[in-house]
Amino acid sequence: MAYKKEHWGNMPDGKEICLYTLSNENGASASFTDLGAVWVTMNVPDRDGKGTDVVLGFDSAEEYLINPPHFGAPIGRNSNRIGGAAFSLNGKEYKLEANNGSSNLHSAPDLYHRRLWEGQAEETDLGVRVSFSLASPDKDQGYPGNADITITYTLTPDDSLVISYHMVCDADTVANFTNHSYFNLDGQDGGWAMKQRVWIDADTFTRTDEGLVPTGEFVPVKGTPMDFTVMKTIERDIDQDYEDLSIGAGYDHNWVLNHEPGELALSAAAESDKTGIRMEVYTDLPGIQFYTANAMKPGIVGKGKTLYEKRGSYCFETQNFPDAVNKPEFPCPFLKAGEEYQTTTIYKFSKV
């Protein structure tokens, strides 16, 4: 197990941007930058032992300063959508910016992944890791309280990438983080990803309105194109005549995971026949947004001058449910002053 830190560019104000690369004895490696605490690469051996980078992204720090698709980005204080771009907490209404129709999406526009975080890498008994810390002031993004945030990435000897999120705030606030990495197990330059197979441990999903904000209705997946309880290719049902798929132009929905609240459990998996790579997703969070890059805009040039395409990747965004701030029937997304927000998601790589 080893790590290295290298210069990777400069912020507009001249501050240095660094790239941290973690590696293990199996030949797996992962890199991250203190610009946004972003996950930049994930190189894992395919069935022939060839290293394959399975996360989409860019070659330079300057491109991550823009990064409209949120490649590799941690999203907070609240991931996904807040309907009406507003919520009430302790009798006070908080207004956010409506950047996605009438909703707020991913706490934009003051995104955490365009800020410089403080990084620290070290070797531990569990693997080699890098931690990124950020102080988020009161009213940042529109949320109450001064928050101290730490995101830790650990590469383990068994080719797992463990993401731990921690936050403490001096006022009651919202805490709902995720990571927005786009995966293609054929490789980040592998093109169309919809022939890859996916399984999700969820018997229901949260139905949405036309703006992809949950209505509060839990819909059984059985007998619908939303059923991933048996592994299937993504392309099999993605273009079915089904209202929720039409609204999202493909999969862009929150699945209600079957595990007990707070239990770190296997929740999703994906496989590639081309490379023989399998990825398992473990989380202690109640939901997962499976998104098939339906809105990927043409002309985005990624690593190695790869032209990224619509449905050329997919995201497994572990999370609390979208718009939970306005849905008391959903798991509570609020963090009380002085209490700790702590959650873990694991992406484990192996062979089919």
Side-chain angles (χ1 to χ4, degrees):
M1 308 293 291
Y3 68 86
K4 69 175 180 179
K5 175 184 176 182
E6 57 191 312
H7 174 80
W8 206 44
N10 295 93
M11 296 290 287
D13 64 2
K15 290 181 180 177
E16 183 181 30
I17 298 170
C18 293
L19 185 71
Y20 297 79
T21 301
L22 317 179
S23 58
N24 69 15
E25 295 178 351
N26 302 329
S29 66
S31 60
F32 311 88
T33 175
D34 51 13
L35 171 55
V38 166
W39 186 1
V40 178
T41 68
M42 187 71 219
N43 282 287
V44 295
D46 67 7
R47 66 161 61 88
D48 300 318
K50 177 186 174 184
T52 303
D53 185 1
V54 297
V55 298
L56 277 63
F58 299 113
D59 286 324
S60 72
E62 288 73 20
E63 291 167 297
Y64 280 104
L65 282 167
I66 306 170
N67 192 10
H70 313 298
F71 288 141
I75 306 293
R77 291 185 196 183
N78 185 78
S79 63
N80 217 306
R81 291 167 177 84
I82 292 179
F87 66 95
S88 294
L89 177 59
N90 298 331
K92 181 178 179 180
E93 185 178 48
Y94 293 89
K95 283 284 191 181
L96 310 175
E97 183 161 328
N99 68 312
N100 188 249
S102 62
S103 302
N104 178 269
L105 175 63
H106 295 327
S107 298
D110 299 321
L111 297 160
Y112 285 163
H113 62 266
R114 293 176 184 163
R115 308 184 196 184
L116 195 64
W117 295 50
E118 183 176 342
Q120 180 66 49
E122 61 181 338
E123 296 181 35
T124 75
D125 291 340
L126 300 177
V128 61
R129 72 184 185 190
V130 59
S131 297
F132 297 105
S133 299
L134 180 74
S136 175
D138 182 38
K139 303 301 189 295
D140 191 9
Q141 303 173 323
Y143 300 106
N146 298 289
D148 292 320
I149 303 162
T150 302
I151 298 174
T152 300
Y153 299 96
T154 303
L155 179 64
T156 69
D158 69 350
D159 297 348
S160 294
L161 197 283
V162 182
I163 309 178
S164 297
Y165 305 86
H166 181 270
M167 187 173 98
V168 176
C169 193
D170 64 1
D172 293 359
T173 194
V174 177
N176 178 24
F177 283 76
T178 194
N179 185 279
H180 210 297
S181 285
Y182 291 72
F183 299 97
N184 186 333
L185 300 186
D186 292 344
Q188 63 87 23
D189 56 356
W192 180 257
M194 299 296 99
K195 291 189 180 298
Q196 293 167 36
R197 296 184 301 277
V198 162
W199 167 83
I200 302 174
D201 185 28
D203 295 329
T204 58
F205 73 99
T206 50
R207 175 153 284 162
T208 71
D209 62 17
E210 292 288 337
L212 289 173
V213 177
T215 62
E217 180 184 3
F218 294 85
V219 181
V221 300
K222 188 174 182 180
T224 79
M226 315 300 281
D227 189 355
F228 285 92
T229 56
V230 176
M231 184 170 272
K232 65 181 181 182
T233 61
I234 305 169
E235 69 176 358
R236 193 185 85 176
D237 296 327
I238 195 171
D239 290 318
Q240 292 291 317
D241 183 13
Y242 187 69
E243 181 180 8
D244 290 272
L245 286 176
S246 298
I247 291 172
Y251 294 113
D252 189 7
H253 303 80
N254 172 68
W255 272 258
V256 179
L257 297 173
N258 289 334
H259 65 75
E260 292 296 319
E263 175 192 357
L264 183 63
L266 176 61
S267 300
E271 295 179 348
S272 163
D273 284 334
K274 181 179 178 181
T275 60
I277 294 172
R278 174 179 169 88
M279 179 177 71
E280 296 176 340
V281 184
Y282 297 76
T283 189
D284 52 17
L285 290 166
I288 192 166
Q289 188 89 4
F290 179 53
Y291 170 55
T292 47
N294 315 306
M296 185 73 73
K297 289 181 169 54
I300 293 180
V301 180
K303 301 172 191 172
K305 298 184 178 179
T306 301
L307 190 63
Y308 292 142
E309 62 184 83
K310 175 182 176 181
R311 297 184 181 175
S313 57
Y314 44 89
C315 303
F316 287 114
E317 301 165 63
T318 59
Q319 60 182 8
N320 202 333
F321 302 165
D323 202 37
V325 292
N326 293 312
K327 300 282 192 303
E329 65 270 32
F330 286 179
C332 180
F334 297 117
L335 178 70
K336 289 189 175 298
E339 293 189 356
E340 293 188 18
Y341 172 84
Q342 181 72 52
T343 181
T344 299
T345 291
I346 302 171
Y347 298 91
K348 181 179 180 180
F349 298 91
S350 60
K351 310 293 194 306
V352 175

